[in-house]
Amino acid sequence: MSDTSGFSSAERDAMKQRAAELKAMKGVKGAAKRAKEYEDCLSAIGGLEGADRQIAERLHIIVSEEAPDLHPKTWYGFPSYARDDKVIVFYQPAAKFKSRYGSIGFNDDAALDDGEFWPTAFAVLEITEAAEKKLRTLIRKAAG
């Protein structure tokens, strides 16, 4: 039987992963919720390999240093960082959708507005010193 949903198997897997994340948090509140989300984020990072893992680990450090008020969690299985349960920044690993690069993305609660046109996702092959400097600036701005 062919799939007529229009979603790839990777996209369907991501949606299932998101549903599982929500189900796992049902009834979990406060500090216990934050602790579980933190563990899930670290587990998601730990499950990555190669450049994906290096980038996610570096992003985790950068967010912790530049926006300590954002809390780690997962979102569609991606390592993510949120405020008031709204994801501000996330890392979408290249391996997740078999793409040639991972991306660091910002959702609409990120304070990146710049006129009528601005980027919300960045392709990343590695985090060099120059890329890290730009990323730190973006994280600070996004966190408000």
Side-chain angles (χ1 to χ4, degrees):
M1 186 166 164
S2 71
D3 176 29
T4 58
S5 71
F7 294 106
S8 70
S9 63
E11 290 168 326
R12 285 191 306 277
D13 288 345
M15 288 184 278
K16 288 177 187 173
Q17 209 163 7
R18 181 64 182 140
E21 290 167 359
L22 293 170
K23 185 176 181 181
M25 288 298 142
K26 192 172 185 175
V28 182
K29 295 182 182 183
K33 179 180 179 191
R34 290 283 165 90
K36 173 97 173 81
E37 288 174 333
Y38 184 83
E39 287 175 27
D40 290 349
C41 183
L42 292 182
S43 180
I45 293 169
L48 299 173
E49 297 179 357
D52 278 335
R53 185 171 182 165
Q54 292 169 345
I55 293 164
E57 287 174 343
R58 195 70 204 139
L59 176 63
H60 184 78
I61 291 167
I62 292 167
V63 172
S64 298
E65 292 174 354
E66 299 297 335
D69 59 315
L70 298 183
H71 66 274
K73 62 185 291 173
T74 56
W75 182 64
Y76 293 93
F78 306 147
S80 304
Y81 304 87
R83 178 184 299 114
D84 300 327
D85 290 325
K86 294 179 180 175
V87 172
I88 303 296
V89 61
F90 61 92
Y91 178 63
Q92 180 177 310
K96 184 81 169 186
F97 296 107
K98 298 179 177 80
S99 63
R100 67 181 182 93
Y101 54 81
S103 62
I104 295 174
F106 296 88
N107 284 337
D108 51 339
D109 285 301
L112 293 177
D113 299 38
D114 186 17
E116 29 317 298
F117 185 78
W118 62 90
T120 60
F122 298 83
V124 58
L125 298 173
E126 67 177 310
I127 297 183
T128 62
E129 190 175 316
E132 181 169 329
K133 185 177 178 181
K134 289 178 187 176
L135 185 55
R136 285 180 178 277
T137 300
L138 282 169
I139 297 294
R140 280 191 306 272
K141 185 175 181 182

